[in-house]
Amino acid sequence: MSDTQAEAALSFVRHEPLPPAPPPMAYRGPVHRVRHNLFSSVGNSIMTIAALYAIYLLVSAIVPWVVNGVWDASSIRDCRAQLDGKIGGCFAVIAERWPQLVFGNYPKAQYGRAMLAFVLLFAALAPLLFIELPRKLLWFTGVFPFIGYWLIWGGTIWVPILALVGIVVGYLVFVRLERQSFFGALMAGLLAMALFWGLLVGPIASGLASLVPLRLEPVQSREIGGFMINFILGTTCMALSLPIGIALALGRQSDLPIIKAICVMFIEFIRGVPLITLLFVASVMLAYFLPPGTNFDLILRVIIMITLFASAYMAEAIRGGLAALPKGQYEAGSSLGLDYWQSMRLIILPQALKISIPSIVNIAIGLFKDTTLVSIISMFDVLGMIGGPILSSTDWFGVYWELYAFAGLMFFVFCFGISKYSQYLERKLNTAHR
């Protein structure tokens, strides 16, 4: 056998590719990541060292303050006696005054009602936040606002039940007239609901309460405070401002000049006025425009003002989402034979809201934190409780960092949760790679 024949007999053709070889040691592992991300240049190295030094200073100051903290003391003087010159926080004020920080002056015997409302809120939000859950659970989402109101404010159960009946009446009127005109049916439904609330709820509720007295111990709005009122204002105003913002965004893009002018003036006026000014109007000036002797609850006035304030910003965020859609999406609705409202409901708004998620979440987080401004109009939210009843006490006068750190931690937990949920929702609705 010749050499050529021998080589041909020994030849081999691989039918499978070789497995990829690992990268060299110099380009993998934690050492490479640290060198590439933190010390890739002289400037990055200086910034890394400065940042590490700043972190060291913070940790060296915070850790002893937390580790040496006192959790069991009767006053700030007792805390200082236990610390005996060491660096440490007086966390005993939180252990003693946490009911005031969370519930304000809410009656202690009724804490269970407030906590039950808090738990039921998350049960009601679950079908809205997670689309994997059965849609049948949405009935509880619609009923919860009336249950929550009754649990927190108390009184007869017939008032929230009849308020719910009023919404049902308005919805039935809307469904009855929807085929003739969507906008006209919407206005007729709102009018029917308002008339039912204004004319029938009071007399019917009084009659039913005398026959079947189902009631809880009433709680006045002035007794609701602490983080509880921040949470009520934040969740309520966020829920109400989104649909109003959608209506304002559509009105601003309307071809009807009067509706467009009203929406533009409202949005620009609200965005040009500080929230604290609107809160002062709700607290002081609004009473001058009401009939003498009218008792308009302060929390309701604040909810209205904060909702109007947030809805103007929501409108601009949603208008940005509407402007980002290509013209072909609008033409697609027309080509399918859909009218304006059907096209908006089925094609345009779902896409615009998905685009606007980051902006909407940013507004929601800012709104939730801005609820602390109500302390300026003498509403004892969590900051109002810290600056008022707690620090005015001689037992805890001088304890600042511990209380404000606790308040900041509560806000961080909820705001961070909102942010993480928005990221989850963006990933869930991302159809670019499907």
Side-chain angles (χ1 to χ4, degrees):
M1 182 182 294
S2 63
D3 293 341
T4 305
Q5 292 175 340
E7 291 178 359
L10 295 175
S11 64
F12 173 75
V13 178
R14 179 178 289 275
H15 298 286
E16 298 177 355
L18 289 171
M25 290 297 297
Y27 294 94
R28 60 176 173 169
V31 175
H32 167 69
R33 289 195 295 271
V34 169
R35 184 172 59 187
H36 178 73
N37 296 323
L38 302 179
F39 299 97
S40 58
S41 64
V42 175
N44 283 352
S45 301
I46 295 174
M47 293 296 295
T48 299
I49 294 172
L52 291 175
Y53 181 68
I55 293 172
Y56 166 75
L57 292 178
L58 288 174
V59 171
S60 61
I62 294 174
V63 170
W65 184 68
V66 175
V67 172
N68 298 329
V70 177
W71 289 90
D72 186 11
S74 58
S75 66
I76 187 174
R77 293 175 292 276
D78 191 9
C79 280
R80 290 171 177 170
Q82 293 186 44
L83 289 172
D84 194 19
K86 295 184 295 184
I87 297 176
C90 186
F91 300 109
V93 63
I94 299 174
E96 180 179 319
R97 297 299 183 97
W98 72 265
Q100 285 184 296
L101 293 171
V102 177
F103 299 104
N105 296 321
Y106 203 78
K108 292 183 179 180
Q110 312 301 329
Y111 283 172
R113 285 164 42 182
M115 296 178 68
L116 178 60
F118 179 78
V119 173
L120 292 179
L121 171 64
F122 285 94
L125 288 177
L128 290 176
L129 301 181
F130 304 101
I131 58 177
E132 300 88 354
L133 296 177
R135 298 294 89 190
K136 294 180 180 179
L137 298 177
L138 287 173
W139 70 267
F140 181 71
T141 304
V143 171
F144 169 76
F146 307 95
I147 299 175
Y149 170 83
W150 184 56
L151 288 174
I152 293 175
W153 274 271
T156 177
I157 195 175
W158 297 112
V159 171
I161 288 178
L162 291 173
L164 178 60
V165 171
I167 293 180
V168 174
V169 170
Y171 175 75
L172 294 176
V173 172
F174 168 77
V175 172
R176 179 81 175 180
L177 303 175
E178 182 182 9
R179 293 186 178 181
Q180 301 177 11
S181 171
F182 180 87
F183 185 75
L186 181 62
M187 293 295 103
L190 293 175
L191 178 61
M193 181 175 61
L195 291 175
F196 184 89
W197 284 351
L199 300 177
L200 300 178
V201 169
I204 297 176
S206 300
L208 291 174
S210 61
L211 296 175
V212 186
L214 295 176
R215 57 186 291 110
L216 293 174
E217 185 68 27
V219 177
Q220 299 298 322
S221 294
R222 62 177 178 271
E223 297 177 309
I224 301 175
F227 189 75
M228 180 180 176
I229 196 171
N230 295 109
F231 193 78
I232 291 173
L233 293 176
T235 53
T236 304
C237 296
M238 280 189 284
L240 295 175
S241 63
L242 183 59
I244 297 176
I246 293 174
L248 289 171
L250 296 178
R252 184 159 189 167
Q253 290 194 330
S254 174
D255 294 330
L256 302 175
I258 296 178
I259 293 179
K260 183 175 182 178
I262 292 174
C263 293
V264 169
M265 287 189 295
F266 175 83
I267 292 171
E268 296 303 328
F269 173 77
I270 294 295
R271 293 175 68 211
V273 176
L275 177 58
I276 188 62
T277 304
L278 299 177
L279 293 178
F280 274 117
V281 170
S283 175
V284 180
M285 297 183 60
L286 195 61
Y288 293 107
F289 299 95
L290 298 175
T294 303
N295 184 16
F296 198 6
D297 191 271
L298 179 59
I299 290 183
L300 180 58
R301 284 182 273 166
V302 170
I303 286 176
I304 292 173
M305 286 301 179
I306 296 179
T307 300
L308 295 178
F309 179 82
S311 62
Y313 287 88
M314 288 285 187
E316 287 301 283
I318 295 168
R319 188 173 69 90
L322 293 171
L325 291 179
K327 187 178 180 181
Q329 297 296 318
Y330 294 86
E331 295 173 347
S334 300
S335 65
L336 292 173
L338 303 178
D339 61 20
Y340 174 81
W341 295 106
Q342 291 173 332
S343 178
M344 282 293 169
R345 188 170 74 247
L346 301 175
I347 298 176
I348 305 302
L349 279 178
Q351 300 181 73
L353 291 175
K354 185 177 75 170
I355 295 172
S356 305
I357 286 175
S359 299
I360 292 174
V361 171
N362 186 48
I363 294 170
I365 292 174
L367 172 66
F368 187 59
K369 293 185 293 185
D370 284 345
T371 57
T372 55
L373 292 174
V374 299
S375 61
I376 300 177
I377 58 173
S378 301
M379 292 183 69
F380 287 101
D381 71 320
V382 62
L383 296 187
M385 294 303 298
I386 291 174
I390 297 178
L391 289 181
S392 62
S393 171
T394 56
D395 291 335
W396 302 110
F397 181 77
V399 181
Y400 297 98
W401 287 101
E402 295 84 347
L403 293 168
Y404 287 114
F406 179 74
L409 180 62
M410 288 193 294
F411 276 98
F412 172 78
V413 169
F414 283 95
C415 293
F416 183 73
I418 296 172
S419 177
K420 297 303 291 184
Y421 172 75
S422 72
Q423 297 174 21
Y424 156 79
L425 190 60
E426 289 183 53
R427 292 192 301 268
K428 192 73 177 177
L429 299 178
N430 184 17
T431 58
H433 303 292
R434 294 183 183 178

